[in-house]
PDB file of all heavy atoms in Angstrom:
ATOM      1  N   GLU A1044     -47.959   7.342  26.919  1.00  0.00           N
ATOM      2  CA  GLU A1044     -47.141   6.570  27.851  1.00  0.00           C
ATOM      3  C   GLU A1044     -47.410   5.072  27.714  1.00  0.00           C
ATOM      4  O   GLU A1044     -46.487   4.255  27.795  1.00  0.00           O
ATOM      5  CB  GLU A1044     -47.421   7.018  29.281  1.00  0.00           C
ATOM      6  CG  GLU A1044     -47.020   8.441  29.586  1.00  0.00           C
ATOM      7  CD  GLU A1044     -47.362   8.816  31.011  1.00  0.00           C
ATOM      8  OE1 GLU A1044     -46.515   8.596  31.900  1.00  0.00           O
ATOM      9  OE2 GLU A1044     -48.477   9.326  31.245  1.00  0.00           O
ATOM     10  N   SER A1074     -46.115  14.348  27.558  1.00  0.00           N
ATOM     11  CA  SER A1074     -46.140  12.919  27.886  1.00  0.00           C
ATOM     12  C   SER A1074     -45.164  12.146  27.009  1.00  0.00           C
ATOM     13  O   SER A1074     -44.438  11.264  27.488  1.00  0.00           O
ATOM     14  CB  SER A1074     -47.563  12.386  27.706  1.00  0.00           C
ATOM     15  OG  SER A1074     -47.614  10.991  27.862  1.00  0.00           O
ATOM     16  N   ALA A1082     -43.187  11.910  18.720  1.00  0.00           N
ATOM     17  CA  ALA A1082     -44.471  12.610  18.664  1.00  0.00           C
ATOM     18  C   ALA A1082     -44.647  13.292  17.321  1.00  0.00           C
ATOM     19  O   ALA A1082     -43.892  14.200  16.959  1.00  0.00           O
ATOM     20  CB  ALA A1082     -44.560  13.643  19.780  1.00  0.00           C
ATOM     21  N   ALA A1122     -43.601  24.675   4.055  1.00  0.00           N
ATOM     22  CA  ALA A1122     -42.598  25.756   4.122  1.00  0.00           C
ATOM     23  C   ALA A1122     -42.462  26.290   5.543  1.00  0.00           C
ATOM     24  O   ALA A1122     -41.367  26.703   5.965  1.00  0.00           O
ATOM     25  CB  ALA A1122     -42.977  26.882   3.163  1.00  0.00           C
ATOM     26  N   GLY A1142     -35.457  25.950  24.305  1.00  0.00           N
ATOM     27  CA  GLY A1142     -34.942  26.005  25.675  1.00  0.00           C
ATOM     28  C   GLY A1142     -35.360  27.250  26.424  1.00  0.00           C
ATOM     29  O   GLY A1142     -34.650  27.704  27.326  1.00  0.00           O
ATOM     30  N   PHE A1143     -36.505  27.831  26.048  1.00  0.00           N
ATOM     31  CA  PHE A1143     -37.015  29.040  26.703  1.00  0.00           C
ATOM     32  C   PHE A1143     -35.986  30.173  26.723  1.00  0.00           C
ATOM     33  O   PHE A1143     -35.899  30.936  27.685  1.00  0.00           O
ATOM     34  CB  PHE A1143     -37.491  28.718  28.128  1.00  0.00           C
ATOM     35  CG  PHE A1143     -38.562  27.663  28.169  1.00  0.00           C
ATOM     36  CD1 PHE A1143     -38.241  26.365  28.538  1.00  0.00           C
ATOM     37  CD2 PHE A1143     -39.858  27.952  27.793  1.00  0.00           C
ATOM     38  CE1 PHE A1143     -39.234  25.372  28.567  1.00  0.00           C
ATOM     39  CE2 PHE A1143     -40.841  26.962  27.815  1.00  0.00           C
ATOM     40  CZ  PHE A1143     -40.533  25.683  28.200  1.00  0.00           C
ATOM     41  N   GLY A1144     -35.212  30.257  25.646  1.00  0.00           N
ATOM     42  CA  GLY A1144     -34.234  31.330  25.528  1.00  0.00           C
ATOM     43  C   GLY A1144     -32.873  31.008  26.098  1.00  0.00           C
ATOM     44  O   GLY A1144     -31.933  31.804  25.960  1.00  0.00           O
ATOM     45  N   VAL A1171     -53.174  10.840  -7.015  1.00  0.00           N
ATOM     46  CA  VAL A1171     -52.615   9.558  -7.437  1.00  0.00           C
ATOM     47  C   VAL A1171     -52.381   9.557  -8.939  1.00  0.00           C
ATOM     48  O   VAL A1171     -51.347   9.075  -9.430  1.00  0.00           O
ATOM     49  CB  VAL A1171     -53.550   8.395  -7.036  1.00  0.00           C
ATOM     50  CG1 VAL A1171     -53.029   7.069  -7.589  1.00  0.00           C
ATOM     51  CG2 VAL A1171     -53.675   8.315  -5.516  1.00  0.00           C
ATOM     52  N   PRO A1188     -50.005   6.760   1.992  1.00  0.00           N
ATOM     53  CA  PRO A1188     -51.338   6.770   1.399  1.00  0.00           C
ATOM     54  C   PRO A1188     -52.404   6.732   2.493  1.00  0.00           C
ATOM     55  O   PRO A1188     -52.237   6.054   3.513  1.00  0.00           O
ATOM     56  CB  PRO A1188     -51.376   5.487   0.552  1.00  0.00           C
ATOM     57  CG  PRO A1188     -49.949   5.071   0.406  1.00  0.00           C
ATOM     58  CD  PRO A1188     -49.252   5.548   1.639  1.00  0.00           C
ATOM     59  N   PRO A1206     -60.103  -3.230  -4.746  1.00  0.00           N
ATOM     60  CA  PRO A1206     -58.992  -3.283  -5.719  1.00  0.00           C
ATOM     61  C   PRO A1206     -58.540  -1.918  -6.231  1.00  0.00           C
ATOM     62  O   PRO A1206     -57.339  -1.697  -6.422  1.00  0.00           O
ATOM     63  CB  PRO A1206     -59.565  -4.148  -6.843  1.00  0.00           C
ATOM     64  CG  PRO A1206     -60.556  -5.029  -6.170  1.00  0.00           C
ATOM     65  CD  PRO A1206     -61.169  -4.202  -5.089  1.00  0.00           C
ATOM     66  N   THR A1240     -43.965  -5.140   3.600  1.00  0.00           N
ATOM     67  CA  THR A1240     -42.505  -5.036   3.645  1.00  0.00           C
ATOM     68  C   THR A1240     -41.895  -5.490   2.323  1.00  0.00           C
ATOM     69  O   THR A1240     -40.865  -4.967   1.897  1.00  0.00           O
ATOM     70  CB  THR A1240     -41.918  -5.860   4.805  1.00  0.00           C
ATOM     71  OG1 THR A1240     -42.398  -7.208   4.734  1.00  0.00           O
ATOM     72  CG2 THR A1240     -42.307  -5.268   6.150  1.00  0.00           C
ATOM     73  N   VAL A1244     -42.242  -0.916   2.112  1.00  0.00           N
ATOM     74  CA  VAL A1244     -42.813  -0.028   3.125  1.00  0.00           C
ATOM     75  C   VAL A1244     -41.886   0.014   4.338  1.00  0.00           C
ATOM     76  O   VAL A1244     -41.396  -1.019   4.798  1.00  0.00           O
ATOM     77  CB  VAL A1244     -44.231  -0.500   3.511  1.00  0.00           C
ATOM     78  CG1 VAL A1244     -44.733   0.248   4.738  1.00  0.00           C
ATOM     79  CG2 VAL A1244     -45.179  -0.311   2.331  1.00  0.00           C
ATOM     80  N   LEU A1265     -67.312 -10.557  24.948  1.00  0.00           N
ATOM     81  CA  LEU A1265     -67.773 -11.835  24.397  1.00  0.00           C
ATOM     82  C   LEU A1265     -67.206 -13.006  25.190  1.00  0.00           C
ATOM     83  O   LEU A1265     -67.909 -13.983  25.485  1.00  0.00           O
ATOM     84  CB  LEU A1265     -67.376 -11.940  22.930  1.00  0.00           C
ATOM     85  CG  LEU A1265     -68.116 -10.998  21.967  1.00  0.00           C
ATOM     86  CD1 LEU A1265     -67.510 -11.074  20.570  1.00  0.00           C
ATOM     87  CD2 LEU A1265     -69.599 -11.334  21.927  1.00  0.00           C
ATOM     88  N   ARG A1268     -69.000 -13.275  28.528  1.00  0.00           N
ATOM     89  CA  ARG A1268     -70.362 -13.793  28.393  1.00  0.00           C
ATOM     90  C   ARG A1268     -70.365 -15.287  28.060  1.00  0.00           C
ATOM     91  O   ARG A1268     -71.261 -16.024  28.494  1.00  0.00           O
ATOM     92  CB  ARG A1268     -71.127 -12.989  27.355  1.00  0.00           C
ATOM     93  CG  ARG A1268     -71.340 -11.547  27.793  1.00  0.00           C
ATOM     94  CD  ARG A1268     -72.318 -10.786  26.945  1.00  0.00           C
ATOM     95  NE  ARG A1268     -72.341  -9.382  27.343  1.00  0.00           N
ATOM     96  CZ  ARG A1268     -72.960  -8.901  28.415  1.00  0.00           C
ATOM     97  NH1 ARG A1268     -73.606  -9.742  29.230  1.00  0.00           N
ATOM     98  NH2 ARG A1268     -72.940  -7.614  28.703  1.00  0.00           N
TER      99      ARG A1268
END
Side-chain angles (χ1 to χ4, degrees):
E1044 295 179 89
S1074 173
F1143 302 103
V1171 175
T1240 53
V1244 169
L1265 290 173
R1268 294 192 186 283

